[in-house]
Amino acid sequence: MTLEEVLASPMQAPPLTRLQCCPPTCGAAAAIVCSDEFAKKHNISKPIYIAAQSMYTDFSGSFENRSPMSIVGYDMTAAAAKEVYANAGIGPDEVDVVELHDCFTCNELVTYEALGLTPEGTAEKFIEDGDNTYGGRIVTNPSGGLLSKGHPLGATGLAQCAELVWQLRGEAGVRQVEGARIGLRDDGVEDRGGEGDGLGGAHGPELELVAREGERRGAVAVAGMPRQLGHRARPEVEQVALEGALREALLDLHQDVGEHLAEEDRDDRGR
């Protein structure tokens, strides 16, 4: 598929054309997170370890500063990235391969910078220099990402996990990133109306660093959900303010409807 074909596809939401938006698809996925003992018992010879996980939700400023970057989740992703690097004892310059949430083309650019793969304001140069792919500084979405393989919602994150496990085991075939030792997974932000970096996060983003044995540094070997790791799922949405605004809107609507019904009732009595 050529750049010209992508740009010439039907416009969805300017400047995004249809081929810049991932297709929602059907799918399912499962993964087994196990102990070292279980792995040895079942002859799993190439274990991949969860080095760290982090998950954030909206900050109060996500809506207060009226920044589109904040609304689509940049601040949350950046905070989660800093935390996951710190907990793993690994810097972004040490990551070899990344599976990130590219539900739209623009999301990938925003996420490059939020994950610290390139400094703020340099995502375009990061791409032009070929630093985001084979032969560059880091390979992103060797699976093809959501834009290539579709987005089966809940199964998407585990598909990213599977790709990183294959990469770190050296089992990714023609997609193999040479010498991959450390991988990063960004599962994006689930918005309040569906999926993807769209209207702030209901629970995301979720970041996960995975590593081959010997590369996990001071991190945990096995982990479940982020709270088991001791990381913070931070409910910093201005929930009270949002509920207050919603309540006011509903009261206004109720009053308008009440006045309208009362007026109709008076008309009926008059007749």
Side-chain angles (χ1 to χ4, degrees):
M1 185 171 294
T2 66
L3 174 62
E4 289 72 25
E5 288 174 321
V6 171
L7 295 178
S9 61
M11 189 64 66
Q12 297 298 108
L16 297 176
T17 63
R18 180 179 295 170
L19 294 179
Q20 294 181 67
C21 307
C22 73
T25 53
C26 295
I32 297 174
V33 180
C34 66
S35 65
D36 281 333
E37 290 73 20
F38 181 94
K40 291 174 182 176
K41 180 179 178 181
H42 293 273
N43 299 315
I44 299 173
S45 59
K46 297 179 181 179
I48 303 302
Y49 293 91
I50 299 173
Q53 289 179 317
S54 182
M55 185 168 66
Y56 275 65
T57 187
D58 288 301
F59 299 102
S60 58
S62 298
F63 302 97
E64 287 175 356
N65 62 18
R66 307 187 68 82
S67 164
M69 292 283 280
S70 296
I71 290 174
V72 300
Y74 181 92
D75 297 339
M76 289 184 286
T77 301
K82 289 176 182 176
E83 184 169 83
V84 84
Y85 293 138
N87 284 324
I90 292 169
D93 58 326
E94 298 178 79
V95 176
D96 302 301
V97 56
V98 176
E99 280 287 312
L100 57 79
H101 199 90
D102 62 333
C103 46
F104 306 100
T105 49
C106 55
N107 281 63
E108 187 161 334
L109 273 77
V110 170
T111 305
Y112 286 154
E113 298 181 8
L115 295 179
L117 306 181
T118 188
E120 285 191 26
T122 65
E124 183 178 2
K125 185 176 186 301
F126 185 64
I127 296 170
E128 289 178 344
D129 292 347
D131 283 334
N132 65 331
T133 189
Y134 297 90
R137 282 165 40 200
I138 187 168
V139 178
T140 57
N141 287 353
S143 67
L146 282 62
L147 287 166
S148 172
K149 64 188 179 186
H151 184 14
L153 302 187
T156 290
L158 287 182
Q160 294 175 322
C161 291
E163 177 66 24
L164 290 179
V165 167
W166 292 329
Q167 289 289 343
L168 300 190
R169 284 179 173 171
E171 299 173 353
V174 296
R175 301 188 312 281
Q176 184 63 50
V177 176
E178 186 176 354
R181 302 167 299 110
I182 298 171
L184 175 65
R185 182 179 71 86
D186 160 49
D187 200 13
V189 178
E190 290 197 25
D191 65 22
R192 297 178 184 82
E195 177 86 12
D197 289 3
L199 292 172
H203 75 65
E206 180 180 316
L207 264 70
E208 187 172 65
L209 262 169
V210 291
R212 293 195 314 213
E213 189 168 20
E215 295 292 344
R216 49 184 161 138
R217 314 291 168 87
V220 296
V222 182
M225 293 302 290
R227 64 172 62 89
Q228 293 174 281
L229 277 169
H231 301 325
R232 298 183 301 278
R234 299 177 57 166
E236 294 193 23
V237 182
E238 287 292 332
Q239 198 66 37
V240 174
L242 289 172
E243 289 175 357
L246 179 60
R247 190 179 301 112
E248 284 185 20
L250 289 174
L251 286 173
D252 288 344
L253 178 62
H254 183 269
Q255 183 176 349
D256 290 344
V257 171
E259 291 175 354
H260 177 70
L261 292 176
E263 185 177 343
E264 284 191 344
D265 185 54
R266 284 195 299 270
D267 290 344
D268 289 341
R269 285 201 301 269
R271 286 195 293 268

